[in-house]
C-alpha cells in the first residue's frame, strides 16, 4: 500500500479527483496519508476533513520559507508518504525541499509545458491565441514548472471559447491526467533518459 501526501492551497478539485480515483479503485493499493494546506481557508482542506482524511494547515504567510518548509516536510515524514502530489499548491519549493524527496514529487500544470509556465496559464494560452492547449503532469525539480514530463493531455481551443471555458475543459483533463500519472509513477515500469520518461522494455 502506497501513501500519498497532497499539498494544496485552494479549491482542491485535483485532490478530490485523486481521492475519488482511490475510492473507486482506479488507483489501486494507495491511500491519502495526509493533506497539507498553507492556507486555513482553502476549500480543499475542508473537503479533506469532510472525507475524514488527516488534514493539516501549516500557514506560510509572513513566515521564513525555510521554517515553513521544515514543518511541511516533517508532516509528510510523520505520515510516511511515498509520493507527494502538488495539487494547486501556490508555493515554489526550495531546492532543499525537492532534495528531501527525489523523484517523488509530482505537479500538475494547466498548459502544455514548456509553453506558459507560471500563474494563469490558461489565460496566457488563450491570450496568445494558441489553437491547442492542455495540461502536463511532471516531476518537480528545482525550477518552476520544469521537471521531467510524465504525461500531457491536449485540449483544442474552440472559436467560441473564452479563458474560462477553456480552463474548465482543461480542468476536466487534469482530473483524468493526474490519476494516470500517479499510476505510471507508482507502477515503476519507466525510466528517465535525460528529460524523457519512457516505458522500460
Ligand atoms: C489547477 O489548474 C492546476 O493545474 C494548477 O492549479 C489549479 C488547481 O486547481 N496547478 P484545484 O485546486 O486542484 O481545483
Amino acid at each position: 500500500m502506497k501513501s500519498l501526501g497532497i499539498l494544496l492551497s485552494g479549491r482542491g478539485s485535483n485532490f478530490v479527483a485523486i481521492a475519488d480515483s482511490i475510492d473507486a479503485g482506479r488507483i489501486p493499493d494507495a491511500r491519502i496519508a495526509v493533506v497539507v494546506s498553507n492556507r486555513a481557508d482553502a476549500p480543499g482542506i475542508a473537503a479533506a476533513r469532510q472525507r475524514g482524511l488527516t488534514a493539516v494547515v501549516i500557514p506560510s504567510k509572513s513566515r521564513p520559507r525555510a521554517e515553513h518548509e521544515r514543518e511541511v516536510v516533517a508532516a509528510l515524514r510523520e505520515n510516511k508518504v511515498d509520493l507527494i502530489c502538488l495539487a494547486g499548491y501556490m508555493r515554489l519549493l526550495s531546492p532543499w525541499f525537492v532534495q528531501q524527496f527525489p523523484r517523488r514529487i509530482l505537479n500538475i500544470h494547466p498548459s502544455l509545458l514548456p509553453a506558459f509556465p507560471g500563474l494563469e496559464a490558461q489565460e496566457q494560452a488563450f491570450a496568445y491565441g494558441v489553437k491547442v492547449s492542455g495540461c502536463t503532469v511532471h516531476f518537480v525539480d528545482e525550477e518552476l514548472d520544469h521537471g521531467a514530463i510524465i504525461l500531457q493531455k491536449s485540449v483544442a481551443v474552440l472559436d467560441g471559447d473564452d479563458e474560462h471555458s477553456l480552463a474548465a475543459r482543461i480542468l476536466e483533463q487534469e482530473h483524468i491526467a493526474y490519476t494516470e500519472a500517479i499510476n505510471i509513477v507508482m507502477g515503476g515500469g519507466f525510466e528517465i533518459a535525460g528529460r524523457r520518461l519512457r516505458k522500460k522494455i
Side-chain angles (χ1 to χ4, degrees):
M1 171 77 73
K2 296 269 197 237
S3 294
L4 304 187
I6 308 275
L7 303 188
L8 55 78
S9 303
R11 182 175 57 181
S13 73
N14 276 286
F15 148 63
V16 168
I18 293 167
D20 284 347
S21 283
I22 291 175
D23 291 351
R26 290 189 296 271
I27 303 178
D29 288 325
R31 58 187 278 267
I32 294 177
V34 63
V35 180
V36 179
S37 172
N38 63 317
R39 297 186 53 129
D41 59 355
I45 206 78
R49 290 206 178 100
Q50 228 164 28
R51 298 180 89 105
L53 296 170
T54 304
V56 189
V57 175
I58 304 177
S60 56
K61 213 174 169 190
S62 325
R63 296 178 66 199
R65 181 154 84 150
E67 183 187 301
H68 176 255
E69 286 197 339
R70 272 198 301 274
E71 276 185 42
V72 175
V73 167
L76 294 167
R77 288 204 191 293
E78 233 167 74
N79 288 284
K80 301 194 171 21
V81 304
D82 299 297
L83 193 66
I84 296 159
C85 298
L86 308 189
Y89 190 57
M90 304 304 284
R91 307 264 309 164
L92 187 58
L93 303 184
S94 73
W96 173 79
F97 192 125
V98 173
Q99 284 151 22
Q100 302 309 299
F101 304 100
R103 290 233 174 109
R104 285 195 289 146
I105 311 176
L106 311 189
N107 182 43
I108 188 156
H109 184 75
S111 74
L112 295 176
L113 289 171
F116 313 118
L119 292 176
E120 294 175 352
Q122 308 94 326
E123 286 84 343
Q124 290 185 54
F126 186 78
Y128 197 90
V130 298
K131 298 298 185 194
V132 179
S133 191
C135 62
T136 304
V137 185
H138 63 93
F139 285 106
V140 171
D141 68 7
E142 283 80 357
E143 287 175 57
L144 178 68
D145 299 328
H146 178 265
I149 291 172
I150 300 160
L151 69 81
Q152 295 185 301
K153 292 211 178 274
S154 59
V155 171
V157 183
L158 307 177
D159 284 345
D161 267 333
D162 60 19
E163 62 270 40
H164 305 292
S165 59
L166 176 62
R169 287 208 318 289
I170 292 174
L171 190 63
E172 279 174 25
Q173 294 305 309
E174 290 185 43
H175 295 163
I176 299 166
Y178 224 150
T179 290
E180 286 182 22
I182 290 168
N183 279 324
I184 290 171
V185 171
M186 292 201 321
F190 64 89
E191 57 195 8
I192 301 174
R195 294 187 44 86
R196 180 164 292 281
L197 182 136
R198 60 184 181 211
K199 277 203 184 103
K200 254 192 221 156
I201 344 160

